[in-house]
């Protein structure tokens, strides 16, 4: 798989993903492209299943959906709203501190540049890229375990970590695909190209895939 074949397989990938469950965060951003909500939902999503993230985000945003409102909540109130997301106590403290930092340092506006977002405590490259792409519709490449696994499985990149994958894709992947790749591959990875025993017999793009590291498939 290389850049010459992307125009051929990308529509096939999109068609298959259209019949799968779309990541909750993608759906939320499609309805309400609010960078602050994207940022907070990203924090909640770490080490947490998509369904749990969605419900927790909805409960929290009913109480507060701006940095000002969030910073005025008690940590206990945030904890109760976001439970049972992973590390909910740590995240509750971090969300309130982050909200106050956005008010003080950025005049209540979530930064739209990755380097600035990374200055916020608790924000890594995955979250920063999602805020830029989903919150601001600006070019970025969010690499989670699905994007890392699948692009290596395709043989498109050869990397050891998600961060290496992000920088490899930034060098190689044409920019026109940057905004879509995370949402597509998260859904594709959850529904078809699973970590163990992927559903190759059902895959629209199996003829383009090198199946690197795949020992068993269905």
């Amino acid at each position: 798989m290389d850049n010459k074949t992307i125009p051929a397989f990308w529509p096939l990938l999109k068609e298959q993903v259209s019949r799968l469950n779309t990541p909750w965060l993608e759906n939320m951003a499609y309805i309400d492209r609010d960078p602050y909500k994207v940022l907070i939902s990203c924090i909640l999503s770490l080490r947490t299943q998509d369904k749990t993230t969605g419900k927790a985000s909805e409960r929290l945003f009913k109480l507060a959906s701006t940095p000002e409102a969030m910073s005025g909540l008690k940590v206990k109130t945030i904890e109760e709203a976001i439970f049972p997301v992973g590390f909910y106590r740590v995240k509750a403290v971090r969300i309130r501190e982050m909200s106050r930092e956005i008010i003080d340092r950025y005049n209540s506006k979530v930064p739209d540049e990755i380097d600035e977002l990374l200055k916020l405590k608790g924000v890594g490259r995955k979250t920063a890229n999602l805020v830029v792409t989903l919150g601001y519709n600006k070019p970025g490449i969010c690499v989670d375990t699905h994007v890392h696994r699948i692009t290596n499985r395709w043989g498109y990149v050869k990397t050891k970590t998600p961060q290496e994958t992000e920088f490899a894709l930034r060098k190689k992947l044409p920019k026109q695909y940057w905004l879509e790749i995370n949402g597509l591959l998260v859904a594709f990875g959850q529904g078809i190209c699973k970590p163990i025993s992927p559903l190759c017999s059902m895959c629209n793009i199996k003829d383009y895939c090198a199946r690197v590291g795949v020992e068993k498939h269905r």
Side-chain angles (χ1 to χ4, degrees):
M1 185 176 291
D2 54 31
N3 286 345
K4 292 181 181 179
T5 60
I6 289 181
F9 81 76
W10 204 262
L12 299 175
L13 174 64
K14 292 179 69 173
E15 191 279 329
Q16 184 150 47
V17 168
S18 71
R19 293 181 271 112
L20 301 173
N21 292 326
T22 306
W24 181 84
L25 197 55
E26 294 272 337
N27 285 329
M28 185 200 78
Y30 180 78
I31 296 170
D32 183 7
R33 194 181 292 279
D34 183 329
Y36 180 70
K37 289 183 178 179
V38 172
L39 172 61
I40 299 303
S41 292
C42 284
I43 298 299
L44 295 178
S45 73
L46 301 174
R47 304 289 184 89
T48 305
Q49 293 184 348
D50 205 42
K51 186 176 181 179
T52 302
T53 298
K55 290 182 177 180
S57 295
E58 290 170 357
R59 290 193 299 270
L60 182 60
F61 294 147
K62 285 181 180 179
L63 300 177
S65 60
T66 65
E68 290 83 1
M70 194 71 73
S71 65
L73 294 180
K74 295 181 179 179
V75 170
K76 184 67 174 178
T77 301
I78 299 175
E79 287 180 1
E80 292 173 350
I82 66 177
F83 179 84
V85 301
F87 304 100
Y88 70 96
R89 289 191 176 93
V90 174
K91 290 178 181 178
V93 172
R94 187 161 292 166
I95 285 170
R96 194 172 73 160
E97 290 178 347
M98 186 180 296
S99 298
R100 290 176 173 173
E101 189 174 1
I102 290 169
I103 294 170
D104 295 339
R105 294 182 58 185
Y106 300 103
N107 196 28
S108 299
K109 184 178 184 294
V110 173
D112 63 352
E113 299 292 341
I114 289 176
D115 288 344
E116 286 298 318
L117 285 161
L118 291 173
K119 293 177 182 179
L120 296 171
K121 186 177 180 180
V123 172
R125 295 200 66 86
K126 173 187 171 182
T127 295
N129 274 284
L130 274 176
V131 172
V132 167
T133 56
L134 296 182
Y136 288 104
N137 201 35
K138 294 176 63 175
I141 299 181
C142 174
V143 175
D144 65 356
T145 56
H146 295 292
V147 177
H148 173 60
R149 177 181 75 254
I150 294 170
T151 53
N152 273 276
R153 183 174 283 174
W154 285 346
Y156 187 71
V157 298
K158 186 177 181 180
T159 55
K160 294 181 179 180
T161 67
Q163 183 163 314
E164 286 183 13
T165 300
E166 180 196 336
F167 289 113
L169 290 174
R170 283 179 175 273
K171 290 180 180 179
K172 186 174 183 179
L173 185 68
K175 271 197 173 183
Q176 68 195 82
Y177 302 108
W178 286 21
L179 288 174
E180 294 182 318
I181 189 169
N182 181 262
L184 288 175
L185 294 195
V186 169
F188 186 61
Q190 291 174 343
I192 302 294
C193 199
K194 298 174 181 289
I196 300 174
S197 191
L199 305 177
C200 296
S201 62
M202 299 173 60
C203 179
N204 278 8
I205 60 172
K206 59 180 178 291
D207 292 340
Y208 299 92
C209 180
R211 299 187 191 182
V212 175
V214 175
E215 297 180 357
K216 180 181 178 182
H217 61 84
R218 290 170 280 170

